Amino acid sequence: MNELGAAIVGCGSIFPLHAKALTELGGRLRAVVDSDPVRAQAAAQAYGCEALTDYRELALRADIGVVHLCTPHHLHVPMALAMLAAGKHVLTEKPMSHTYREGLKLAEAAARSGAQLGVCFQNRYNDPSVRMKELVRSGELGRLIGMKAVVTWHRDEAYYTQSPWRGKWATEGGGVLMNQAIHTLDLLQWLGGEIVSVRGSVTTDALGGCIEVEDTAHARISFANGAAAVFYATNGFVENSPIDLELVFEGGRLAQRRDSLYLRKGEEEEVLLCGVDAPCGPPGKSYWGSSHVSLIRDFYACLDSDTPFPIDAWEGLKAVKLAADIYESSGTAVRAFS
Ligand SMILES: NC(=O)c1ccc[n+]([C@@H]2O[C@H](COP(=O)([O-])OP(=O)(O)OC[C@H]3O[C@@H](n4cnc5c(N)ncnc54)[C@H](O)[C@@H]3O)[C@@H](O)[C@H]2O)c1
């Protein structure tokens, strides 16, 4: 693990995943930062490091080379810009920005910087995602023709009152598209390649009166290689169901169910990857969404070997652009980008 000292900004819900991963990987977590001093102190105590309340102090710290951003969406760009300007590597939580315009600004700054910026799209590291990408790349199943992605999750009023930056255009930058389903949008664009057109729509079906942003969205996405994807996402379901992802090729179809991957050719179905919660797999927890450790390990390995981290700012921006195109197609561009 890298010798560089690390700091994490934002000690809320996602913080423990970063702190635990760093600890498990033998990283050097030197400071945690939260504008709420009670949260900063509690986190510092739990991980035996220093507590700060102003992230700008990190810029002056020679003992800190990497800064993880686990803050509300609208703070990612100003914080990342300040850290890159100070020569710190940045690993930001998704989405890299709360608007496409801001994200573009950050991608340009990151390209000019001598430091690296990575975006936390950890689902690319899930075993089924890796296998699906290999099969798209190899052409083993013929040309990719279509994809289907369905995200049906549950978020209630308490989720939004607990962190008031959520649910607002100015601070979250969008709803289910920018926060929950951004991972799935990222997988679709990663697997499908260059996008040529997007037609979609967003609505607030379940949480009207509680949030400004959308809780439900759908889209049809056309790719330069001729493939088409249909996408549906909602925070208005009664529970958090496993994401349903299907890829149709000329010579077969792949289906991800939880963390297992199935290949169907004609009437024959084969298990390509057997997840821990499938009848064929060992007992344990589902892998879906639990790849923070893999991503963080890879980020630090890239820093160690001075090689580019694959999910850089330009790569992280693609999902933000896709979300922006769905808003625009839905006529919500003015609210989303004002
Ligand atoms: N990759 C994933 O699967 C995943 C899952 C959950 C959340 N996230 C992302 O993590 C980020 C944080 O989400 P969360 O759910 O942990 O939010 P949260 O509201 O639980 O935590 C945010 C923390 O940031 C702190 N903060 C706010 N302003 C600050 C400032 N100026 N300086 C320092 N600290 C400040 C808050 O006090 C709070 O403790 C978001 O980008 C979110 O989308 C990613």
Side-chain angles (χ1 to χ4, degrees):
M1 183 76 175
N2 202 291
E3 292 291 300
L4 293 169
I8 304 177
V9 189
C11 304
S13 315
I14 201 66
F15 165 81
L17 268 77
H18 285 254
K20 222 169 143 275
L22 268 174
T23 313
E24 279 172 23
L25 295 167
R28 291 154 195 256
L29 180 58
R30 297 225 160 94
V32 291
V33 187
D34 202 292
S35 49
D36 176 341
V38 177
R39 281 195 178 192
Q41 277 300 342
Q45 241 165 36
Y47 290 92
C49 62
E50 191 180 346
L52 300 171
T53 52
D54 187 345
Y55 77 95
R56 289 171 302 185
E57 284 183 42
L58 299 174
L60 308 169
R61 294 276 297 258
D63 63 332
I64 288 170
V66 188
V67 177
H68 296 231
L69 298 179
C70 298
T71 46
H73 298 174
H74 68 301
L75 297 175
H76 294 171
V77 172
M79 289 179 166
L81 288 174
M83 293 302 111
L84 289 175
K88 314 291 180 199
H89 302 291
V90 174
L91 180 61
T92 179
E93 262 301 344
K94 49 53 90 173
M96 63 182 277
S97 59
H98 73 304
T99 67
Y100 175 63
R101 209 162 39 202
E102 283 286 287
L104 203 53
K105 202 162 82 183
L106 178 54
E108 283 162 357
R112 286 192 303 269
S113 162
Q116 294 218 41
L117 181 132
V119 182
C120 208
F121 277 131
Q122 78 277 2
N123 287 346
R124 287 196 193 188
Y125 288 76
N126 294 349
D127 292 343
S129 308
V130 172
R131 193 81 175 94
M132 284 190 280
K133 181 73 176 174
E134 278 168 11
L135 287 165
V136 169
R137 224 182 237 148
S138 71
E140 211 177 306
L141 298 173
R143 199 171 62 81
L144 177 68
I145 299 168
M147 293 186 280
K148 179 183 82 172
V150 179
V151 183
T152 50
W153 284 1
H154 177 74
R155 294 293 180 274
D156 59 11
E157 284 200 36
Y159 170 81
Y160 292 96
T161 44
Q162 172 197 327
S163 289
W165 63 270
R166 296 179 186 143
K168 299 186 176 75
W169 287 109
T171 47
E172 193 176 25
V176 69
L177 282 180
M178 286 296 272
N179 200 333
Q180 289 74 31
I182 193 92
H183 288 291
T184 306
L185 293 180
D186 179 59
L187 289 181
L188 287 176
Q189 72 76 25
W190 184 55
L191 295 165
E194 187 192 343
I195 292 170
V196 289
S197 74
V198 177
R199 181 102 202 107
S201 179
V202 303
T203 53
T204 311
D205 294 348
L207 292 156
C210 167
I211 59 172
E212 289 171 8
V213 294
E214 85 289 350
D215 59 27
T216 303
H218 68 82
R220 187 174 192 280
I221 304 158
S222 302
F223 295 88
N225 57 15
V230 290
F231 160 85
Y232 173 80
T234 186
N235 278 338
F237 192 44
V238 295
E239 61 176 16
N240 294 312
S241 302
I243 290 167
D244 181 11
L245 192 53
E246 266 185 50
L247 272 61
V248 180
F249 297 82
E250 287 168 324
R253 56 192 66 223
L254 295 173
Q256 178 174 355
R257 294 178 213 134
R258 296 185 184 273
D259 53 347
S260 298
L261 188 64
Y262 301 83
L263 169 62
R264 179 173 280 276
K265 285 183 178 173
E267 293 306 303
E268 298 291 306
E269 188 167 85
E270 178 190 344
V271 185
L272 288 188
L273 270 177
C274 193
V276 287
D277 57 357
C280 48
K285 269 199 317 188
S286 167
Y287 281 123
W288 183 254
S290 65
S291 294
H292 267 91
V293 175
S294 311
L295 182 143
I296 291 170
R297 183 190 294 113
D298 193 25
F299 184 68
Y300 279 84
C302 288
L303 297 184
D304 264 344
S305 57
D306 201 20
T307 51
F309 179 63
I311 317 177
D312 65 5
W314 292 113
E315 196 57 28
L317 190 59
K318 290 177 182 172
V320 175
K321 172 78 166 71
L322 179 50
D325 287 345
I326 299 174
Y327 289 126
E328 193 177 352
S329 156
S330 188
T332 42
V334 174
R335 275 185 294 158
F337 298 101
S338 58

Tab-separated table of all heavy atoms in Angstrom, residues 131 134-142 249 251 265:
chain	number	residue	atom	x	y	z
A	131	ARG	N	-16.721	-9.490	-15.651
A	131	ARG	CA	-16.938	-10.576	-16.632
A	131	ARG	C	-17.737	-10.067	-17.836
A	131	ARG	O	-17.436	-10.403	-18.982
A	131	ARG	CB	-17.687	-11.718	-15.928
A	131	ARG	CG	-17.730	-13.009	-16.673
A	131	ARG	CD	-16.436	-13.790	-16.500
A	131	ARG	NE	-16.549	-15.107	-17.136
A	131	ARG	CZ	-16.155	-15.369	-18.365
A	131	ARG	NH1	-15.617	-14.437	-19.094
A	131	ARG	NH2	-16.306	-16.583	-18.881
A	134	GLU	N	-15.489	-8.089	-20.056
A	134	GLU	CA	-14.590	-8.974	-20.820
A	134	GLU	C	-15.323	-9.554	-22.033
A	134	GLU	O	-14.778	-9.639	-23.121
A	134	GLU	CB	-14.152	-10.165	-19.953
A	134	GLU	CG	-13.003	-9.873	-19.011
A	134	GLU	CD	-12.825	-11.012	-17.986
A	134	GLU	OE1	-13.443	-12.106	-18.120
A	134	GLU	OE2	-12.055	-10.766	-17.058
A	135	LEU	N	-16.590	-9.972	-21.807
A	135	LEU	CA	-17.334	-10.610	-22.901
A	135	LEU	C	-17.721	-9.608	-23.980
A	135	LEU	O	-17.787	-9.949	-25.159
A	135	LEU	CB	-18.560	-11.338	-22.344
A	135	LEU	CG	-18.199	-12.631	-21.598
A	135	LEU	CD1	-19.353	-13.139	-20.758
A	135	LEU	CD2	-17.748	-13.713	-22.585
A	136	VAL	N	-17.975	-8.349	-23.587
A	136	VAL	CA	-18.260	-7.311	-24.589
A	136	VAL	C	-17.000	-7.075	-25.410
A	136	VAL	O	-17.022	-7.035	-26.642
A	136	VAL	CB	-18.729	-5.995	-23.914
A	136	VAL	CG1	-18.768	-4.848	-24.920
A	136	VAL	CG2	-20.099	-6.174	-23.256
A	137	ARG	N	-15.876	-6.947	-24.705
A	137	ARG	CA	-14.594	-6.628	-25.339
A	137	ARG	C	-14.128	-7.732	-26.286
A	137	ARG	O	-13.692	-7.487	-27.398
A	137	ARG	CB	-13.545	-6.445	-24.234
A	137	ARG	CG	-12.674	-5.240	-24.463
A	137	ARG	CD	-11.634	-5.127	-23.381
A	137	ARG	NE	-11.708	-3.850	-22.701
A	137	ARG	CZ	-11.410	-3.660	-21.422
A	137	ARG	NH1	-11.053	-4.663	-20.660
A	137	ARG	NH2	-11.472	-2.459	-20.907
A	138	SER	N	-14.255	-8.993	-25.834
A	138	SER	CA	-13.707	-10.115	-26.603
A	138	SER	C	-14.527	-10.423	-27.850
A	138	SER	O	-14.027	-11.010	-28.801
A	138	SER	CB	-13.643	-11.367	-25.725
A	138	SER	OG	-14.955	-11.837	-25.492
A	139	GLY	N	-15.799	-10.046	-27.855
A	139	GLY	CA	-16.654	-10.353	-28.998
A	139	GLY	C	-17.036	-11.830	-29.065
A	139	GLY	O	-17.607	-12.301	-30.044
A	140	GLU	N	-16.732	-12.550	-27.991
A	140	GLU	CA	-16.979	-13.996	-27.937
A	140	GLU	C	-18.447	-14.357	-28.182
A	140	GLU	O	-18.752	-15.417	-28.717
A	140	GLU	CB	-16.587	-14.420	-26.517
A	140	GLU	CG	-16.054	-15.787	-26.351
A	140	GLU	CD	-15.665	-15.988	-24.879
A	140	GLU	OE1	-14.883	-15.176	-24.334
A	140	GLU	OE2	-16.183	-16.960	-24.294
A	141	LEU	N	-19.346	-13.474	-27.787
A	141	LEU	CA	-20.783	-13.761	-27.952
A	141	LEU	C	-21.359	-13.001	-29.153
A	141	LEU	O	-22.566	-12.840	-29.287
A	141	LEU	CB	-21.543	-13.370	-26.682
A	141	LEU	CG	-21.154	-14.137	-25.411
A	141	LEU	CD1	-21.850	-13.556	-24.191
A	141	LEU	CD2	-21.511	-15.617	-25.562
A	142	GLY	N	-20.490	-12.499	-29.996
A	142	GLY	CA	-20.956	-11.690	-31.132
A	142	GLY	C	-21.158	-10.254	-30.700
A	142	GLY	O	-20.778	-9.853	-29.602
A	249	PHE	N	-26.648	-10.245	-26.850
A	249	PHE	CA	-25.642	-10.285	-27.917
A	249	PHE	C	-26.214	-11.086	-29.091
A	249	PHE	O	-27.211	-11.801	-28.942
A	249	PHE	CB	-24.372	-11.008	-27.436
A	249	PHE	CG	-23.653	-10.340	-26.297
A	249	PHE	CD1	-24.074	-10.522	-24.985
A	249	PHE	CD2	-22.545	-9.529	-26.530
A	249	PHE	CE1	-23.401	-9.918	-23.926
A	249	PHE	CE2	-21.865	-8.926	-25.482
A	249	PHE	CZ	-22.293	-9.114	-24.178
A	251	GLY	N	-24.997	-13.728	-30.158
A	251	GLY	CA	-24.841	-15.165	-29.893
A	251	GLY	C	-25.177	-15.587	-28.470
A	251	GLY	O	-24.628	-16.589	-27.994
A	265	LYS	N	-27.922	-19.439	-24.071
A	265	LYS	CA	-27.786	-19.598	-25.525
A	265	LYS	C	-28.924	-20.512	-25.944
A	265	LYS	O	-28.943	-21.675	-25.531
A	265	LYS	CB	-26.441	-20.238	-25.883
A	265	LYS	CG	-25.248	-19.299	-25.759
A	265	LYS	CD	-23.969	-20.000	-26.203
A	265	LYS	CE	-22.795	-19.069	-26.136
A	265	LYS	NZ	-21.533	-19.749	-26.402
